[in-house]
Amino acid sequence: MSDVNLKEWSQARHLRPRASPLMRMLVVATIALIGVGVTPFFIDAYSVNVLVRSMIYASIALSVDILWGYLGVLTFGQSAFFAAGAYVTALIFTYQGFSAELAFAALVIGIAVAVAMAGLVAFLAFWHGATDLYASVITLVLPIVVTQLLFSGGTFTGSSSGLTGFETVPLSIEAWFWVVGAWLVILTSAAWLYTRSDAGQLLVAIRENEQRCQYLGLNTSNIKAVIFLICASIGAIAGWMYANYTMVVAPEIAGFVFGTELLIWVALGGRGTLFGPVIGTLIIDYASAHLQGDFPFIWKLVIGVIFVSVIVALPRGLLPVASSSLNWLRSLVIKAQPKERTPMQLRQASERSSTAANEGGGAALVVSGVEKRFGSLKVLSGIDFEATYGEIVSLVGPNGAGKTTLMTCIADGLKRSGGTISVAGVDIGHRPPNQCVRLGVGRKFQMANVFDTLTVGECLQIARARLDGLSKWHKSGICNLPQSALHIIRATGLDNDLDVPAQVLSHGKKQALELAMVLALEPKVILLDEPTAGLTKAERTLIGTILTELAKTEQLCILLVEHDLDFVREISSRVIVLHQGRIVLNGSVDEVVNSELVKSVYAGSGH
Amino acid sequence: MIATILDIITTAAILYIVASGLLLVFGVMKLINFAHGGLMTLGGYAAVIATAIGVNPWIGIPLAAIFGAIVGLGMERIVVRSLYNRPLDAILATWGLSIIIGQIITLVFDRGVHFAEPPIRGVVSLLGESYSTYRLVLTVLALLLGLGLTLILKGTSLGLSTRAVIMNEDLARGLGINSGLVRTVTFTLGSGLAAVAGALITPLSSVYPDMGTAWLISAFMLVLVSGSSLYSLAIASVVLGGAQVIVSGYFGAVLGGMTIAALAAVILRIRPQGFSYE
């Protein structure tokens, strides 16, 4: 498809204009603020009182939703940050008395303490190789440690009875309602903008496929840590409000049980929806306050039963169910309109000065003495070879020869057991995958490894995140790609599928998309693990042609693992044969094809 | 000195009893049963019932096993079965089940503290130290439990199937092992063990609707550092239980209460496979 067609196609999608998401958000937020403003005049004082607390809880539930619903970090520990904000405030007011300056200081110190705690948790929980379960475990340990510390604080922290009787910010209940309500609306709007922006899609990408993000050069551990720190601050602010408003703090607010209660509210409302957890918390906490007096145990039992049912039957929570039934009702009245999405525009990225072609002399990839052991088992030993720019080197060998392991060692400096690897003249040392990408390594996995729930356009944007950054407040609708990636997108017809979720693509298109994502990194060395596996003859020829062109025009160094020897013969400039973890042959295509050794290796008797 | 060593050994034994049911479920089903605490509470109340109807306190233990097994079987059938592919959701759902168990107990009894008649009272003289007989009996029971579970896993065809499922579930299923049955039996057994543990600790702690929660966290952390091996669990119980006893002795019970959780988190950070040697 030509650029002209592409433009026409995107214009056709522009024909029916609608309010931009930002405008709609502003309208909804304004209505919500007006609602907050007038509510205290229409409901009784007890309900106002309860709702202030419910809204404080809702703001912290929102932070749990960002972590769990978007980023995929199941956290039991938000309560600890809430307690940090609340206890710092209570301690300052108890021991220093109240003043406006001290109230402000309490807010700042509370946030600082929470951020420091969150920093420690993030250091323990988010590192290259840590599992989701481990991160959850650390967030579970945090509230337990904090609770025990509060208990052991003796009279200073009030031990099990907590602190009470301190003077706080002198606001009426209605004024607190307005302050907390406005904060909740602003916070929810900001979170909504962020999660709908390009950067917000990155959170989903990390949840869906953290490994792919790392191999796209993104330091996912850092991104998780930053979001975690922000959410800890939100928790501390909520804690500050809580201490000021209720004038009581007790160790229970730090505990694992409260941390889990937050999860229950988020799960019932609908994780990953922002509004669901906020509305869910408001309704459940408000209803609890009214029902708990009359039916204290039954009410908690009912919540427990609903919670288990929702987790089992409606994992996305109640808000999606409510909104889809609302849409269904609307569709009965109004004729359904196709869902409008901002069409993605692909643009050519400006040339970077340090592209491979400018490197001139020197090898693109130098592998020397590389070893890989799993315990006593040697998978690779004494691997030495070089590859230069513009070369297509194929790695062949029977299954288990160590081809994929070698690829992994080149793309992740932490994996090899011995030897050195340099990319474009720089030793990769013990760099994790995201830093190897910085040096110029791009890796395509054997199984197409894309972000299933994101659209094709969004996948490409994430691939460019390292070089171009991502907008934090809106969907830019623009993706800059280098010529090579654009070429693949157009040649395979993916430019018609930019708004399609990647999971519905055919196998061949998924492979092409992943290749385009790797090329979007503007790598110097690309590692392709069986790029043609499962493709049709036509698709295979297309990929082969593209790879040959890429090596020639972009001066890329391409390292290819392949079982299809015909394909290898057609495109390779050199072939390396691996057998039982060693290089047995490194030569031209003809040398390898005519080698007796290679025949015997493939026949299974070579030693 | 002798008293401290005895404390370490008996604490490790108690932790082993408390965590073994959770470990069994985690090992076979790769699933963390957060209802373990609730099931322990249930077992504690079985002992209370035994006291209330005036039978021999030992009867409380089989009673707990029956309660735990029945409730566990029901939970597996109705809830847990549909969450095998969603391990993090399974944690939440089983926590919800724990809340339900706790609330039903509160409705039947009340929120207050109950006491169960201990099966054995008094102290014995051991190495010049007079020490609680019951804690020593628990140590013997822990050894018998470890031995019994090992025999079941190594000596019966169900055990063989279970070990096959632990190692490679897909392959086991391909070979005709009914992995669904293995899971059901494991979960039921694990739940029964949790309730038995709850009944066994009643002489050491009071019985109230939330008694299981504190034990749940310790058991959970022990299982995480042990992988799916009963031997590793024994080592982890001794090391972490020992640390708890020592910290409690020097810094007080409150800080001792967080020792297992904090130490296990650090161990997993340094060595993700914990005490298992794979």
Side-chain angles (χ1 to χ4, degrees):
Chain A
M1 185 191 263
S2 72
D3 288 18
V4 181
N5 281 343
L6 195 68
K7 210 171 275 173
E8 278 171 6
W9 175 70
S10 52
Q11 274 166 356
R13 302 281 297 241
H14 266 312
L15 283 178
R16 211 175 40 244
R18 254 175 89 172
S20 76
L22 184 62
M23 282 306 297
R24 273 190 292 163
M25 192 277 290
L26 285 175
V27 170
V28 173
T30 312
I31 295 171
L33 281 176
I34 294 170
V36 168
V38 301
T39 302
F41 300 113
F42 291 97
I43 57 175
D44 60 291
Y46 176 71
S47 296
V48 175
N49 186 12
V50 170
L51 274 175
V52 176
R53 194 192 62 186
S54 307
M55 290 193 298
I56 293 173
Y57 288 164
S59 71
I60 184 167
L62 189 80
S63 69
V64 171
D65 189 34
I66 294 170
L67 285 172
W68 180 34
Y70 287 90
L71 198 53
V73 177
L74 178 64
T75 173
F76 295 92
Q78 271 318 86
S79 54
F81 306 124
F82 180 72
Y87 262 91
V88 165
T89 311
L91 286 170
I92 288 180
F93 290 166
T94 302
Y95 295 105
Q96 300 291 321
F98 169 78
S99 74
E101 293 79 28
L102 283 174
F104 180 71
L107 179 62
V108 174
I109 297 172
I111 293 174
V113 170
V115 166
M117 276 160 42
L120 182 66
V121 171
F123 167 74
L124 285 170
F126 308 128
W127 41 283
H128 175 57
T131 61
D132 290 347
L133 180 63
Y134 178 71
S136 290
V137 169
I138 298 298
T139 67
L140 177 64
V141 172
L142 175 72
I144 289 160
V145 170
V146 171
T147 310
Q148 297 293 337
L149 289 177
L150 290 176
F151 272 121
S152 63
T155 51
F156 182 65
T157 57
S159 196
S160 62
S161 48
L163 295 169
T164 181
F166 46 85
E167 198 187 335
T168 64
V169 178
L171 287 180
S172 68
I173 291 180
E174 287 74 22
W176 272 115
F177 188 92
W178 290 319
V179 170
V180 177
W183 165 246
L184 182 60
V185 172
I186 291 167
L187 190 68
T188 311
S189 309
W192 191 87
L193 267 187
Y194 181 75
T195 50
R196 261 106 198 122
S197 71
D198 293 340
Q201 291 300 328
L202 178 58
L203 304 190
V204 178
I206 291 174
R207 182 188 72 202
E208 294 283 317
N209 194 338
E210 186 168 355
Q211 181 199 39
R212 182 72 266 179
C213 286
Q214 285 164 350
Y215 281 96
L216 291 175
L218 300 167
N219 188 339
T220 54
S221 303
N222 267 3
I223 296 168
K224 281 180 165 180
V226 168
I227 300 289
F228 195 74
L229 295 189
I230 293 171
C231 288
S233 314
I234 295 173
I237 294 169
W240 180 83
M241 290 176 169
Y242 178 87
N244 269 295
Y245 179 67
T246 62
M247 302 187 196
V248 178
V249 293
E252 284 74 32
I253 59 170
F256 146 76
V257 174
F258 180 51
T260 319
E261 203 164 5
L262 291 167
L263 285 173
I264 294 178
W265 295 335
V266 172
L268 289 181
R271 63 182 97 158
T273 61
L274 298 181
F275 299 119
V278 168
I279 298 167
T281 307
L282 292 179
I283 293 175
I284 297 168
D285 191 56
Y286 181 76
S288 298
H290 282 274
L291 296 173
Q292 206 139 34
D294 301 330
F295 320 97
F297 308 135
I298 300 267
W299 168 247
K300 233 183 139 187
L301 180 65
V302 169
I303 289 286
V305 171
I306 298 177
F307 173 60
V308 173
S309 318
V310 164
I311 290 280
V312 171
L314 305 165
R316 291 172 58 227
L318 294 173
L319 183 78
V321 177
S323 73
S324 62
S325 42
L326 210 67
N327 280 340
W328 178 76
L329 278 177
R330 200 191 304 169
S331 72
L332 292 182
V333 185
I334 313 164
K335 197 168 162 265
Q337 290 187 353
K339 201 178 171 192
E340 189 70 13
R341 288 185 104 133
T342 326
M344 180 80 69
Q345 286 181 8
L346 298 182
R347 292 189 188 160
Q348 184 163 349
S350 52
E351 289 290 320
R352 271 161 213 274
S353 53
S354 64
T355 48
N358 300 351
E359 299 293 327
L365 176 68
V366 182
V367 175
S368 62
V370 165
E371 280 188 12
K372 175 68 187 173
R373 292 183 298 270
F374 291 104
S376 60
L377 180 71
K378 266 195 176 179
V379 182
L380 290 175
S381 58
I383 303 289
D384 294 291
F385 71 92
E386 289 189 9
T388 56
Y389 298 103
E391 222 182 354
I392 298 184
V393 179
S394 290
L395 280 174
V396 301
N399 282 324
K403 305 182 298 286
T404 301
T405 310
L406 180 55
M407 291 269 192
T408 307
C409 289
I410 298 171
D412 182 348
L414 298 162
K415 291 284 164 138
R416 67 185 187 283
S417 321
T420 56
I421 294 172
S422 323
V423 172
V426 184
D427 185 355
I428 69 166
H430 290 291
R431 287 179 169 86
N434 62 302
Q435 290 186 32
C436 290
V437 171
R438 244 158 248 268
L439 297 181
V441 180
R443 181 183 191 196
K444 196 202 148 305
F445 290 86
Q446 188 169 355
M447 307 300 286
N449 197 339
V450 294
F451 304 111
D452 279 341
T453 59
L454 299 190
T455 66
V456 169
E458 286 163 349
C459 287
L460 292 167
Q461 271 186 330
I462 301 288
R464 287 295 290 183
R466 181 181 70 92
L467 294 170
D468 293 347
L470 290 170
S471 165
K472 289 187 173 52
W473 66 278
H474 78 312
K475 280 206 191 309
S476 65
I478 294 167
C479 183
N480 299 316
L481 290 174
Q483 184 58 44
S484 54
L486 278 176
H487 181 55
I488 293 214
I489 298 283
R490 286 176 186 150
T492 53
L494 273 170
D495 48 358
N496 289 322
D497 302 327
L498 291 175
D499 292 345
V500 171
Q503 61 190 351
V504 305
L505 293 178
S506 69
H507 178 70
K509 280 192 172 177
K510 265 191 204 172
Q511 296 275 34
L513 172 60
E514 198 193 357
L515 186 55
M517 286 162 70
V518 171
L519 290 169
L521 301 170
E522 302 187 8
K524 295 163 188 161
V525 175
I526 55 177
L527 312 173
L528 303 174
D529 204 343
E530 300 198 33
T532 67
L535 296 191
T536 63
K537 184 77 187 156
E539 287 169 326
R540 199 174 298 205
T541 315
L542 179 64
I543 296 268
T545 319
I546 290 172
L547 290 181
T548 329
E549 279 174 27
L550 275 178
K552 206 179 290 170
T553 58
E554 308 272 323
Q555 287 294 296
L556 283 176
C557 169
I558 300 176
L559 195 62
L560 189 76
V561 165
E562 211 20 276
H563 278 300
D564 180 349
L565 289 181
D566 289 331
F567 184 72
V568 166
R569 198 182 331 198
E570 276 163 33
I571 72 164
S572 311
S573 48
R574 195 145 57 86
V575 179
I576 291 174
V577 183
L578 273 178
H579 180 52
Q580 295 185 337
R582 293 174 179 280
I583 293 181
V584 292
L585 202 70
N586 178 356
S588 71
V589 175
D590 286 338
E591 276 176 308
V592 170
V593 167
N594 298 323
S595 152
E596 284 302 315
L597 182 65
V598 171
K599 280 176 195 157
S600 64
V601 163
Y602 267 92
S605 58
H607 275 284
Chain B
M1 186 62 198
I2 302 274
T4 309
I5 291 171
L6 286 174
D7 273 346
I8 291 175
I9 292 171
T10 53
T11 303
I14 293 164
L15 288 170
Y16 188 85
I17 293 172
V18 167
S20 56
L22 193 64
L23 180 114
L24 209 60
V25 173
F26 181 67
V28 175
M29 304 163 82
K30 304 288 173 284
L31 181 142
I32 293 175
N33 177 16
F34 256 37
H36 193 77
L39 290 160
M40 285 181 68
T41 311
L42 188 69
Y45 277 87
V48 170
I49 291 173
T51 305
I53 56 178
V55 292
N56 186 325
W58 287 109
I59 301 291
I61 288 153
L63 195 63
I66 293 167
F67 280 12
I70 292 173
V71 172
L73 182 66
M75 293 196 314
E76 203 274 343
R77 283 285 150 113
I78 299 166
V79 175
V80 177
R81 180 162 286 198
S82 50
L83 298 173
Y84 288 144
N85 300 321
R86 295 189 270 147
L88 292 183
D89 281 2
I91 295 181
L92 291 175
T94 48
W95 174 251
L97 289 169
S98 202
I99 293 176
I100 294 173
I101 294 173
Q103 291 309 309
I104 292 175
I105 287 173
T106 314
L107 284 172
V108 175
F109 295 86
D110 52 57
R111 280 171 102 162
V113 175
H114 290 258
F115 293 96
E117 190 68 31
I120 300 170
R121 289 172 183 278
V123 292
V124 287
S125 187
L126 190 76
L127 303 166
E129 197 73 45
S130 56
Y131 202 79
S132 154
T133 319
Y134 189 68
R135 288 183 74 102
L136 294 172
V137 169
L138 282 184
T139 310
V140 176
L141 284 177
L143 287 172
L144 290 177
L145 179 68
L147 211 63
L149 285 175
T150 311
L151 279 178
I152 292 177
L153 283 176
K154 294 270 157 87
T156 66
S157 65
L158 180 67
L160 183 65
S161 306
T162 309
R163 280 189 292 149
V165 173
I166 292 175
M167 284 175 196
N168 186 340
E169 182 170 351
D170 289 334
L171 182 62
R173 222 179 358 221
L175 295 172
I177 291 171
N178 183 347
S179 67
L181 181 69
V182 170
R183 283 164 180 277
T184 306
V185 170
T186 311
F187 198 86
T188 307
L189 185 61
S191 304
L193 281 174
V196 167
L200 283 173
I201 59 172
T202 48
L204 310 170
S205 91
S206 46
V207 181
Y208 57 98
D210 205 23
M211 69 177 265
T213 306
W215 290 97
L216 165 70
I217 306 296
S218 297
F220 174 59
M221 300 309 289
L222 281 168
V223 167
L224 283 179
V225 295
S226 311
S228 47
S229 150
L230 286 163
Y231 304 114
S232 313
L233 180 62
I235 298 169
S237 299
V238 171
V239 173
L240 295 181
Q244 185 187 20
V245 168
I246 291 164
V247 171
S248 300
Y250 284 96
F251 304 100
V254 175
L255 288 179
M258 65 181 230
T259 308
I260 291 185
L263 201 59
V266 174
I267 289 172
L268 287 171
R269 174 68 175 88
I270 297 164
R271 197 177 139 85
Q273 71 271 43
F275 286 100
S276 67
Y277 37 77
E278 285 142 34

